[in-house]
Tab-separated table of all heavy atoms in Angstrom:
chain	number	residue	atom	x	y	z
A	667	ARG	N	-125.680	-45.936	-45.323
A	667	ARG	CA	-126.676	-44.897	-45.164
A	667	ARG	C	-126.135	-43.818	-44.232
A	667	ARG	O	-125.550	-44.119	-43.207
A	667	ARG	CB	-127.955	-45.485	-44.564
A	667	ARG	CG	-129.208	-44.741	-44.938
A	667	ARG	CD	-130.403	-45.653	-44.676
A	667	ARG	NE	-130.475	-45.952	-43.241
A	667	ARG	CZ	-131.175	-45.209	-42.391
A	667	ARG	NH1	-131.816	-44.152	-42.803
A	667	ARG	NH2	-131.218	-45.555	-41.125
A	668	TYR	N	-126.311	-42.603	-44.643
A	668	TYR	CA	-125.736	-41.523	-43.845
A	668	TYR	C	-126.765	-40.473	-43.548
A	668	TYR	O	-127.411	-39.945	-44.449
A	668	TYR	CB	-124.557	-40.897	-44.599
A	668	TYR	CG	-124.043	-39.660	-43.941
A	668	TYR	CD1	-123.444	-39.746	-42.697
A	668	TYR	CD2	-124.226	-38.420	-44.515
A	668	TYR	CE1	-123.017	-38.611	-42.049
A	668	TYR	CE2	-123.799	-37.274	-43.890
A	668	TYR	CZ	-123.197	-37.373	-42.651
A	668	TYR	OH	-122.744	-36.244	-42.015
A	669	ARG	N	-126.958	-40.208	-42.281
A	669	ARG	CA	-127.799	-39.085	-41.858
A	669	ARG	C	-126.926	-38.184	-41.025
A	669	ARG	O	-126.215	-38.653	-40.146
A	669	ARG	CB	-128.935	-39.620	-40.960
A	669	ARG	CG	-130.007	-40.343	-41.716
A	669	ARG	CD	-131.184	-39.398	-41.988
A	669	ARG	NE	-132.190	-40.057	-42.816
A	669	ARG	CZ	-133.082	-40.905	-42.353
A	669	ARG	NH1	-133.072	-41.228	-41.085
A	669	ARG	NH2	-133.947	-41.438	-43.152
A	670	PRO	N	-127.013	-36.894	-41.287
A	670	PRO	CA	-126.192	-35.985	-40.460
A	670	PRO	C	-126.573	-36.134	-38.978
A	670	PRO	O	-127.763	-36.117	-38.661
A	670	PRO	CB	-126.579	-34.602	-40.980
A	670	PRO	CG	-127.126	-34.829	-42.328
A	670	PRO	CD	-127.771	-36.178	-42.302
A	671	ALA	N	-125.598	-36.343	-38.170
A	671	ALA	CA	-125.844	-36.465	-36.724
A	671	ALA	C	-124.536	-36.211	-36.025
A	671	ALA	O	-123.479	-36.121	-36.644
A	671	ALA	CB	-126.381	-37.864	-36.408
A	672	SER	N	-124.603	-36.130	-34.717
A	672	SER	CA	-123.379	-35.890	-33.955
A	672	SER	C	-122.495	-37.116	-34.004
A	672	SER	O	-122.945	-38.210	-34.349
A	672	SER	CB	-123.738	-35.599	-32.502
A	672	SER	OG	-124.134	-36.793	-31.876
A	673	ALA	N	-121.218	-36.907	-33.718
A	673	ALA	CA	-120.266	-38.000	-33.788
A	673	ALA	C	-120.681	-39.134	-32.865
A	673	ALA	O	-120.589	-40.312	-33.226
A	673	ALA	CB	-118.872	-37.492	-33.416
A	674	SER	N	-121.189	-38.787	-31.665
A	674	SER	CA	-121.580	-39.833	-30.721
A	674	SER	C	-122.711	-40.693	-31.278
A	674	SER	O	-122.665	-41.915	-31.209
A	674	SER	CB	-122.069	-39.210	-29.407
A	674	SER	OG	-121.067	-38.423	-28.867
A	675	ALA	N	-123.685	-40.002	-31.853
A	675	ALA	CA	-124.846	-40.729	-32.381
A	675	ALA	C	-124.412	-41.632	-33.544
A	675	ALA	O	-124.832	-42.773	-33.650
A	675	ALA	CB	-125.922	-39.752	-32.824
A	676	LEU	N	-123.571	-41.075	-34.406
A	676	LEU	CA	-123.100	-41.866	-35.572
A	676	LEU	C	-122.328	-43.078	-35.092
A	676	LEU	O	-122.514	-44.198	-35.582
A	676	LEU	CB	-122.174	-41.004	-36.428
A	676	LEU	CG	-122.852	-40.035	-37.391
A	676	LEU	CD1	-121.805	-39.187	-38.081
A	676	LEU	CD2	-123.651	-40.814	-38.423
A	677	LEU	N	-121.458	-42.864	-34.107
A	677	LEU	CA	-120.619	-43.968	-33.622
A	677	LEU	C	-121.502	-45.040	-32.999
A	677	LEU	O	-121.317	-46.240	-33.272
A	677	LEU	CB	-119.622	-43.441	-32.601
A	677	LEU	CG	-118.679	-44.498	-32.040
A	677	LEU	CD1	-117.777	-45.044	-33.120
A	677	LEU	CD2	-117.838	-43.943	-30.895
A	678	ARG	N	-122.484	-44.616	-32.190
A	678	ARG	CA	-123.344	-45.600	-31.528
A	678	ARG	C	-124.066	-46.427	-32.568
A	678	ARG	O	-124.082	-47.648	-32.524
A	678	ARG	CB	-124.346	-44.870	-30.622
A	678	ARG	CG	-125.020	-45.779	-29.629
A	678	ARG	CD	-125.840	-45.009	-28.612
A	678	ARG	NE	-125.125	-43.912	-28.019
A	678	ARG	CZ	-125.466	-42.633	-28.142
A	678	ARG	NH1	-126.501	-42.295	-28.877
A	678	ARG	NH2	-124.753	-41.684	-27.545
A	679	ARG	N	-124.640	-45.736	-33.547
A	679	ARG	CA	-125.418	-46.441	-34.545
A	679	ARG	C	-124.552	-47.398	-35.357
A	679	ARG	O	-124.870	-48.570	-35.520
A	679	ARG	CB	-126.054	-45.392	-35.477
A	679	ARG	CG	-126.876	-45.976	-36.564
A	679	ARG	CD	-127.506	-44.900	-37.423
A	679	ARG	NE	-128.253	-45.514	-38.489
A	679	ARG	CZ	-127.702	-45.936	-39.606
A	679	ARG	NH1	-126.395	-45.789	-39.799
A	679	ARG	NH2	-128.434	-46.520	-40.536
A	680	ASN	N	-123.408	-46.897	-35.821
A	680	ASN	CA	-122.579	-47.709	-36.708
A	680	ASN	C	-121.895	-48.854	-35.967
A	680	ASN	O	-121.685	-49.917	-36.524
A	680	ASN	CB	-121.554	-46.831	-37.427
A	680	ASN	CG	-122.212	-45.958	-38.457
A	680	ASN	OD1	-123.205	-46.348	-39.063
A	680	ASN	ND2	-121.694	-44.760	-38.647
A	681	LEU	N	-121.548	-48.594	-34.702
A	681	LEU	CA	-120.929	-49.681	-33.910
A	681	LEU	C	-121.930	-50.808	-33.708
A	681	LEU	O	-121.595	-51.978	-33.807
A	681	LEU	CB	-120.497	-49.152	-32.552
A	681	LEU	CG	-119.031	-48.766	-32.366
A	681	LEU	CD1	-118.757	-48.436	-30.925
A	681	LEU	CD2	-118.129	-49.903	-32.832
A	682	LEU	N	-123.169	-50.405	-33.433
A	682	LEU	CA	-124.208	-51.402	-33.211
A	682	LEU	C	-124.431	-52.189	-34.503
A	682	LEU	O	-124.483	-53.422	-34.496
A	682	LEU	CB	-125.494	-50.690	-32.791
A	682	LEU	CG	-126.558	-51.593	-32.179
A	682	LEU	CD1	-126.089	-52.076	-30.815
A	682	LEU	CD2	-127.863	-50.827	-32.028
A	683	LEU	N	-124.528	-51.470	-35.599
A	683	LEU	CA	-124.875	-52.092	-36.880
A	683	LEU	C	-123.732	-52.954	-37.391
A	683	LEU	O	-123.898	-54.126	-37.737
A	683	LEU	CB	-125.204	-50.991	-37.882
A	683	LEU	CG	-126.231	-51.315	-38.932
A	683	LEU	CD1	-127.515	-51.720	-38.269
A	683	LEU	CD2	-126.467	-50.079	-39.785
A	684	TYR	N	-122.537	-52.381	-37.430
A	684	TYR	CA	-121.437	-53.067	-38.114
A	684	TYR	C	-120.522	-53.792	-37.146
A	684	TYR	O	-119.858	-54.759	-37.517
A	684	TYR	CB	-120.655	-52.073	-38.979
A	684	TYR	CG	-121.512	-51.476	-40.038
A	684	TYR	CD1	-122.092	-50.220	-39.871
A	684	TYR	CD2	-121.836	-52.194	-41.179
A	684	TYR	CE1	-122.937	-49.689	-40.817
A	684	TYR	CE2	-122.672	-51.675	-42.134
A	684	TYR	CZ	-123.228	-50.409	-41.945
A	684	TYR	OH	-124.080	-49.909	-42.885
A	685	GLY	N	-120.433	-53.322	-35.903
A	685	GLY	CA	-119.620	-54.017	-34.912
A	685	GLY	C	-120.362	-55.233	-34.377
A	685	GLY	O	-119.932	-56.384	-34.560
A	686	VAL	N	-121.505	-54.995	-33.765
A	686	VAL	CA	-122.300	-56.093	-33.222
A	686	VAL	C	-122.814	-56.971	-34.366
A	686	VAL	O	-122.776	-58.209	-34.296
A	686	VAL	CB	-123.448	-55.571	-32.347
A	686	VAL	CG1	-124.289	-56.720	-31.818
A	686	VAL	CG2	-122.897	-54.732	-31.201
A	687	GLY	N	-123.258	-56.317	-35.446
A	687	GLY	CA	-123.709	-57.072	-36.614
A	687	GLY	C	-122.606	-57.966	-37.141
A	687	GLY	O	-122.828	-59.115	-37.539
A	688	GLY	N	-121.385	-57.438	-37.143
A	688	GLY	CA	-120.236	-58.195	-37.622
A	688	GLY	C	-119.921	-59.375	-36.737
A	688	GLY	O	-119.373	-60.377	-37.183
A	689	LEU	N	-120.268	-59.261	-35.455
A	689	LEU	CA	-120.067	-60.391	-34.533
A	689	LEU	C	-121.081	-61.491	-34.825
A	689	LEU	O	-120.753	-62.675	-34.836
A	689	LEU	CB	-120.227	-59.916	-33.096
A	689	LEU	CG	-119.052	-59.247	-32.405
A	689	LEU	CD1	-119.442	-58.812	-31.001
A	689	LEU	CD2	-117.868	-60.171	-32.327
A	690	VAL	N	-122.323	-61.081	-35.057
A	690	VAL	CA	-123.432	-62.036	-35.123
A	690	VAL	C	-123.576	-62.657	-36.516
A	690	VAL	O	-123.732	-63.881	-36.641
A	690	VAL	CB	-124.762	-61.354	-34.708
A	690	VAL	CG1	-125.909	-62.307	-34.843
A	690	VAL	CG2	-124.661	-60.814	-33.293
A	691	ALA	N	-123.479	-61.806	-37.553
A	691	ALA	CA	-123.777	-62.260	-38.910
A	691	ALA	C	-123.063	-63.561	-39.311
A	691	ALA	O	-123.700	-64.478	-39.841
A	691	ALA	CB	-123.484	-61.157	-39.908
Side-chain angles (χ1 to χ4, degrees):
Chain A
R667 207 162 64 90
Y668 171 67
R669 285 262 175 80
S672 73
S674 302
L676 280 175
L677 181 65
R678 195 171 312 116
R679 179 178 178 277
N680 289 327
L681 262 187
L682 195 69
L683 212 57
Y684 298 98
V686 178
L689 279 178
V690 177

